[in-house]
């Protein structure tokens, strides 16, 4: 499979230029933002700014026009022959989690740069203007909320978001944004910094953060949608504590047994939904009795756990959430326990544009590559663009060991395949 792929790849016309640019920029980014363990490019901080500077210098050296927008993002432009048409935007983010990996975000920015630079070098002038965005503030590690840079573009940040403080410096998001040149007054007024009607499409390449492409031996995947989620940080099941030897089963109100039954029922509902072709994943990642009071000979009176359901489809999310609530009520009644839920948190799902999915799949087939569809379990800026009404699309590139850690591993050949697919689709849409 790999050998066959490598043979086909030799046919990509821009491959050697793409490889040179990708290797050079990835090396430079790693060198500039290394923290000794991984790389650190904190949102609205020094590492992120250094990464933007580096990409901007390279874009200029390649003869492309660059600027910083009102959100202090880097924008690289290749002007089309009909600049009054809505432009095609591509890109990703350049920030990272602390001790993160070099490819998460940066791969999408480098892909966009390779495409604009390639068009410029060959003298291809698209009808539509092409813009590459190197976005800031996608990761939630520093300020607790993801997609800050793209949300700011569409007036989507609240005063509460802007008042969140970075745990290390104690500075607010608004202050950190101002430091790097964001028009914070406009962001505070929830004024869009970018007119969504001017953007014909958003195309984002990203490493896959799950194991699917590796498991299925596919170099790239075409993303169909980005999963949204509904979460509770803490659900508390309260029953009654008691002596494990003295209380018979029929008099017990065991919080662990009740919660175990709840999770088992949720797993059954999950499987049923999958059998009906629904997209859904369910997780209870934090789970436990209170170490202050739990004991081997004590019937547990309280269990705390987190709840998370993700789906590409809002209706499926809400349907599963309803099942969760009704199971809590039912099991509560049967077992004499109660489930208390903290604040419901949610992030909206996003559907990728059907026309673009078709275009990307055709591009992949045209290059002799598989055209598999894949949902995105992790969130991306593309969700914000899609929910702003902009037709949006994503290409995933195979990557081992997940992301948000220094061990993420993307083969450069897979990256070049992803760039080739993206280039062919953008060429088709821009002319
Ligand atoms: Zn990312």
């Amino acid at each position: 499979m790999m050998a066959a792929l490598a043979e086909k790849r030799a046919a990509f016309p821009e491959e050697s230029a793409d490889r040179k640019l990708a290797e050079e920029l990835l090396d430079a980014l790693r060198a500039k933002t290394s923290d000794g363990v991984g790389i650190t490019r904190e949102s609205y901080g020094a590492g992120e700014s250094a990464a933007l500077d580096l990409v901007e210098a390279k874009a200029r050296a390649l003869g492309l026009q660059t600027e910083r927008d009102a959100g202090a993002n880097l924008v690289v432009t290749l002007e089309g022959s009909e600049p009054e048409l809505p432009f095609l935007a591509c890109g990703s983010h350049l920030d990272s989690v602390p001790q993160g990996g070099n490819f998460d975000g940066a791969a999408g920015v480098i892909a966009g740069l390779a495409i604009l630079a390639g068009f410029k070098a060959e003298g291809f002038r698209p009808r539509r203007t092409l813009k590459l965005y190197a976005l800031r503030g996608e990761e939630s590690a520093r300020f607790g909320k993801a997609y800050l840079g793209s949300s700011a573009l569409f007036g989507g940040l609240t005063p509460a978001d802007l008042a969140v403080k970075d745990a290390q410096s104690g500075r607010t998001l608004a202050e950190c944004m101002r430091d790097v040149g964001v028009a914070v007054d406009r962001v505070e007024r929830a004024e869009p910094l970018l007119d969504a009607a001017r953007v014909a499409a958003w195309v984002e390449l990203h490493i896959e953060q799950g194991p699917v492409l590796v498991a299925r031996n596919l170099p790239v995947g075409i993303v169909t949608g980005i999963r949204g989620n509904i979460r509770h940080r803490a659900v508390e099941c309260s029953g009654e504590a008691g002596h494990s030897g003295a209380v018979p089963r029929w008099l017990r109100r065991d919080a662990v047994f009740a919660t175990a039954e709840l999770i088992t029922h949720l797993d059954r509902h999950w499987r049923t939904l999958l059998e009906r072709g629904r997209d859904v994943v369910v997780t209870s990642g934090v789970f436990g009795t209170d170490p202050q009071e739990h004991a081997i000979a004590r019937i547990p009176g309280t269990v705390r756990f987190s709840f998370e359901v993700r789906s590409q489809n809002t209706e499926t999310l809400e349907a599963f959430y309803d099942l969760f609530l009704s199971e809590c009520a039912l099991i509560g009644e049967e077992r004499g326990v109660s489930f208390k839920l903290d604040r419901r948190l949610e992030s909206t799902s996003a559907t990728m544009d059907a026309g673009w999915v078709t275009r990307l799949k055709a591009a992949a087939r045209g290059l002799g590559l598989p055209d598999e569809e894949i949902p995105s379990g992790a969130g991306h800026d593309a969700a914000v663009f899609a929910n702003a009404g902009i037709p949006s699309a994503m290409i995933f590139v195979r990557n081992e060991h997940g992301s948000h850690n220094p061990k993420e591993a993307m083969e450069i050949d897979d990256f070049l395949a992803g760039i080739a697919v993206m280039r062919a689709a953008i060429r088709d849409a821009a002319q």
Side-chain angles (χ1 to χ4, degrees):
M1 175 75 194
M2 292 301 290
L5 210 57
E7 275 167 37
K8 272 166 192 154
R9 272 206 205 118
F12 298 167
E14 297 88 351
E15 177 164 341
S16 64
D18 288 351
R19 186 186 298 274
K20 192 167 159 283
L21 178 70
E23 287 177 344
E24 183 192 323
L25 265 178
L26 285 168
D27 287 350
L29 281 170
R30 186 181 286 112
K32 191 97 185 166
T33 59
S34 166
D35 55 29
V37 178
I39 57 93
T40 297
R41 307 193 268 261
E42 66 278 30
S43 310
Y44 299 100
E48 181 193 70
S49 291
L52 261 70
D53 290 346
L54 219 153
V55 174
E56 180 163 37
K58 187 69 202 170
R60 285 198 180 163
L62 292 164
L64 294 161
Q65 219 177 292
T66 73
E67 66 188 308
R68 302 297 172 103
D69 68 2
N73 305 294
L74 167 65
V75 186
V76 182
T77 302
L78 180 68
E79 193 167 84
S81 57
E82 296 177 42
E84 64 286 356
L85 288 175
F87 61 85
L88 276 178
C90 64
S92 194
H93 62 97
L94 277 183
D95 62 323
S96 78
V97 300
Q99 300 188 349
N102 199 30
F103 305 129
D104 184 341
V109 173
I110 293 169
L113 186 59
I115 290 165
L116 266 61
F119 287 164
K120 171 108 187 156
E122 73 174 81
F124 170 65
R125 183 126 192 246
R127 264 175 68 220
R128 289 183 192 278
T129 293
L130 303 181
K131 284 185 187 282
L132 160 67
Y133 280 78
L135 295 167
R136 292 181 181 266
E138 192 272 345
E139 300 288 1
S140 61
R142 194 177 186 200
F143 296 103
K145 185 178 164 124
Y147 321 141
L148 296 166
S150 50
S151 297
L153 285 182
F154 302 109
L157 295 183
T158 65
D161 296 332
L162 291 160
V164 173
K165 286 181 180 162
D166 163 36
Q168 265 181 3
S169 67
R171 292 171 66 73
T172 64
L173 171 60
E175 287 168 338
C176 294
M177 282 182 142
R178 195 169 283 124
D179 288 347
V180 299
V182 176
V184 175
D185 303 353
R186 296 176 65 190
V187 176
E188 277 169 346
R189 290 196 297 268
E191 186 186 310
L193 308 177
L194 173 61
D195 177 7
R198 289 286 305 141
V199 189
W202 170 258
V203 187
E204 180 169 0
L205 176 147
H206 203 281
I207 55 167
E208 194 210 355
Q209 290 159 289
V212 178
L213 294 178
V214 170
R216 301 189 58 193
N217 197 19
L218 299 167
V220 295
I222 311 303
V223 178
T224 49
I226 296 168
R227 289 182 178 137
N229 64 60
I230 302 177
R231 288 171 170 172
H232 286 280
R233 275 180 215 268
V235 182
E236 189 173 295
C237 174
S238 304
E240 191 176 20
H243 190 289
S244 68
V247 185
R249 189 178 188 281
W250 66 280
L251 283 176
R252 287 192 185 211
R253 295 164 58 207
D254 185 320
V256 165
F257 273 60
T259 308
E261 186 176 353
L262 174 72
I263 302 287
T264 308
H265 285 199
L266 292 182
D267 186 35
R268 212 168 289 154
H269 290 306
W270 179 7
R271 206 174 55 203
T272 306
L273 286 169
L274 288 181
E275 282 163 4
R276 290 181 189 163
R278 301 289 190 107
D279 174 63
V280 60
V281 285
V282 186
T283 307
S284 181
V286 181
F287 195 103
T289 48
D290 183 352
Q292 299 296 324
E293 58 175 42
H294 68 192
I296 193 164
R298 190 179 201 262
I299 299 164
T302 309
V303 171
R304 275 190 200 84
F305 60 97
S306 62
F307 168 83
E308 182 195 81
V309 56
R310 295 186 185 228
S311 173
Q312 294 179 70
N313 182 285
T314 307
E315 190 199 325
T316 306
L317 273 183
E318 293 296 344
F320 195 89
Y321 188 69
D322 285 347
L323 284 168
F324 167 62
L325 294 183
S326 65
E327 288 290 354
C328 284
L330 212 72
I331 291 167
E333 199 175 317
E334 277 173 6
R335 288 185 172 267
V337 299
S338 62
F339 292 91
K340 203 173 85 206
L341 283 61
D342 70 349
R343 191 161 75 100
R344 172 181 143 139
L345 304 170
E346 56 186 70
S347 86
T348 39
S349 55
T351 307
M352 296 296 94
D353 181 74
W356 269 93
V357 170
T358 304
R359 179 178 283 127
L360 286 167
K361 288 175 73 174
R365 285 194 304 274
L367 290 158
L369 292 163
D371 63 347
E372 286 284 318
E373 295 184 359
I374 180 172
S376 173
H380 296 285
D381 289 308
V384 177
F385 283 82
N387 287 318
I390 296 166
S392 297
M394 286 194 82
I395 301 144
F396 271 176
V397 176
R398 171 165 52 189
N399 161 58
E400 245 180 305
H401 313 309
S403 77
H404 292 184
N405 73 73
K407 284 196 275 179
E408 61 180 32
M410 173 185 70
E411 295 294 335
I412 200 82
D413 279 351
D414 291 345
F415 185 30
L416 297 177
I419 295 174
V421 171
M422 185 165 154
R423 171 182 285 120
I426 288 183
R427 191 192 293 275
D428 172 58
Q431 65 194 354

